[in-house]
Structures are given as structure tokens and as C-alpha cells.
Amino acid sequence: MVLHKDSCVELNDGHKMPVLGFGTYAPEKFPKSLAEEGTKVAIDVGYRHIDCAFIYGNEVEVGRAIKAKIADGTVKREDVFYTGKLWSTFHTPERVRPALEKSLTDLQLDYMDLFIIHNPVEFKPGDDPLPLDENGKPIFHNTDLRDTWKALEKCKDAGLVRSIGVSNFNHKQLELILNMPGLKYKPVCNQVECPIYLDQSKLLEFCKSKDIVLVAYGVLGSSREENWVDQSTPVLLENPILGAIAKKHNRTPAHVAMRYLLQ
């Protein structure tokens, strides 16, 4: 696959998604203003797919960056592909549309290009995004994913979002939606963690067979947050083999990691 600045993948609903996306997540210790600056730079250098989420806590800043780049003539709204995510406390059907509308307000956008269920696991609905019990364990809830999906389909029909998909789903959870009675729109994608150390080829084959795009995140390794990554594990971009291949082709280790996954 030869990449150029307009390289896109066609989704099963006919919309096109730029192949490379700029992820805006950062650990809590970093100021949210960096997301605004980073997004502006990303658009300046040619990124047209911006990936964010309610739980990142920076949709206001990312939205400001997109607005600024439209205002200064760098891009038009239709040039930018924005992906947002439905957080795990908003799975009950009546909470889906208000969650999407809140994000749109924060972003100062009229619609999202793609809205995906962030996680198949649901937390207790409410204002606390990470509800914990007295032992510090998450409080789960059990809305049927198919009911959440129906609410997403209504958001698409209402014009609030162009495409709808999922994230972090396994093939059984995908099948639950694909086989549901009265399915109106198939998920266009499944966004999952997929660096070169994590083989997702089985899931990729399943998704391909259902005309669902597998979107990879963490392709350069994760942000290595202390709470959830063992700090003694190898840093992906420091992998000697990756480094050697990059040197041979006069590229960076990041280029090689991304190229490997694309191919």
C-alpha cells in the first residue's frame, strides 16, 4: 500500500476514513492545553483524521484546535475526520444521545464523522466516569450491548454522526451486534490495541470477513502509564530489530512499525 496525503479506507456505509489518525490521549499528568497545540500541529503537517474521546477530558481543547484550523483556512470541516467515543457510563439507551450531544457541544462541531462504543464493558451509569466500590473496585452495570447499538443507530439517523462503530470488542461481542434482530447499520470498524508486539491477526481476519475495518491504536507502543504498564517491559520504539530496519531504509522506527501494521 502506497500512502499519500489523501489515502483513505472505504467503510461499509460508503464513507471514507483517512488511513492515518492522530490520537489525542495523554496521561493525566500532562496539561490539556498540549492536546490543543498538538492537534493544530497535526493538522498543519497533514493529518486529517483526529481521534479523541470523552474520557480523555480534552474534547474542548481538541475542538478549539480544529475550529482554529478551519478559521485560518488550513482545512474545511469536510476535510477533517473526527472520531469520538461513547464512554462506559453512557451505555443505557437514554444516555447515548445526550453523551454524543455533550461531546459535540464541547467540540463546537455539528456532527462527528465516527462515534464508537469505547469499551464493551459498562460501568454504573451516573456522573462519576469511574465509579468504584468501597474496596476500590469498579462498579459494573449490564445493559445489553444491542440496546446501546440501537441508540447509536438513532444518532446516525438523526444526522449527529455519519458512521458508527465499536472499540475493544472481541469477535463474540461483534457477533452479538451483527446477529441482532432488526440490525440497521453494521459497525464500520473495531478499534483495538495493535502494536507489533500484539498479534491481532485472528481478529483482523474475522473483521475482514464481515467488512469491518480493524483500526489499530497504540501502534508505536502505549503511553506507558505507570498504573497499567509494567515499566520494566521493553519500549517498543527502542526495539533493536526495528531500529536496524529503519536505519537500512533511512526511516524512523515509528515509520517501520506503522508500515508493518498497514501491510
Side-chain angles (χ1 to χ4, degrees), residues 3-9 16-24 38-52 62 65-66 68-70 72-84 109 111-114:
L3 272 191
H4 51 85
K5 71 178 178 60
D6 301 319
S7 291
C8 284
V9 55
K16 289 190 165 74
M17 175 173 72
V19 168
L20 290 184
F22 178 72
T24 57
T39 302
K40 282 183 188 168
V41 172
I43 292 171
D44 281 339
V45 301
Y47 278 95
R48 293 297 176 259
H49 179 174
I50 307 295
D51 177 282
C52 194
V62 170
I66 294 170
K69 287 290 126 194
I70 292 170
D72 74 9
T74 307
V75 285
K76 298 186 185 76
R77 170 62 186 98
E78 58 271 24
D79 299 330
V80 177
F81 187 99
Y82 180 87
T83 297
L109 295 177
Y111 68 91
M112 280 186 199
D113 297 274
L114 175 61

Side-chain angles (χ1 to χ4, degrees), residues 64-234:
R64 274 206 301 259
I66 294 170
K67 195 177 184 187
K69 287 290 126 194
I70 292 170
D72 74 9
T74 307
V75 285
K76 298 186 185 76
R77 170 62 186 98
E78 58 271 24
D79 299 330
V80 177
F81 187 99
Y82 180 87
T83 297
K85 307 185 187 82
L86 179 77
W87 182 239
S88 305
T89 51
F90 302 122
H91 282 201
T92 52
E94 70 279 1
R95 289 175 70 85
V96 172
R97 181 167 174 163
L100 172 55
E101 287 173 335
K102 166 79 168 75
S103 283
L104 287 172
T105 302
D106 286 347
L107 290 155
Q108 303 181 69
L109 295 177
D110 297 328
Y111 68 91
M112 280 186 199
D113 297 274
L114 175 61
F115 193 46
I116 61 184
I117 299 176
H118 203 147
N119 224 307
V121 177
E122 184 191 10
F123 297 144
K124 180 188 164 196
D127 295 330
D128 183 355
L130 292 165
L132 304 174
D133 65 17
E134 61 278 8
N135 302 313
K137 296 273 186 281
I139 305 169
F140 296 108
H141 196 254
N142 207 12
T143 300
D144 191 318
L145 282 168
R146 293 169 291 194
D147 293 332
T148 307
W149 188 256
K150 278 182 197 138
L152 275 178
E153 290 183 328
K154 285 183 181 147
C155 291
K156 178 172 159 81
D157 283 336
L160 296 172
V161 58
R162 302 221 159 148
S163 300
I164 51 176
V166 299
S167 178
N168 300 308
F169 274 49
N170 62 30
H171 79 277
K172 287 205 164 98
Q173 290 154 338
L174 274 169
E175 275 179 331
L176 191 67
I177 288 176
L178 292 170
N179 298 332
M180 72 186 242
L183 176 71
K184 193 167 182 186
Y185 305 114
K186 284 195 337 185
V188 297
C189 71
N190 183 17
Q191 186 183 122
V192 296
E193 188 173 7
C194 191
I196 55 177
Y197 289 156
L198 179 59
D199 180 14
Q200 295 279 22
S201 51
K202 270 188 169 158
L203 186 60
L204 175 64
E205 284 313 307
F206 176 80
C207 287
K208 272 186 176 168
S209 74
K210 304 293 181 190
D211 198 18
I212 294 168
V213 173
L214 188 134
V215 178
Y217 70 79
V219 296
L220 308 179
S222 74
S223 51
R224 299 182 66 84
E225 233 171 301
E226 289 82 3
N227 322 344
W228 48 279
V229 173
D230 177 351
Q231 298 301 298
S232 68
T233 56

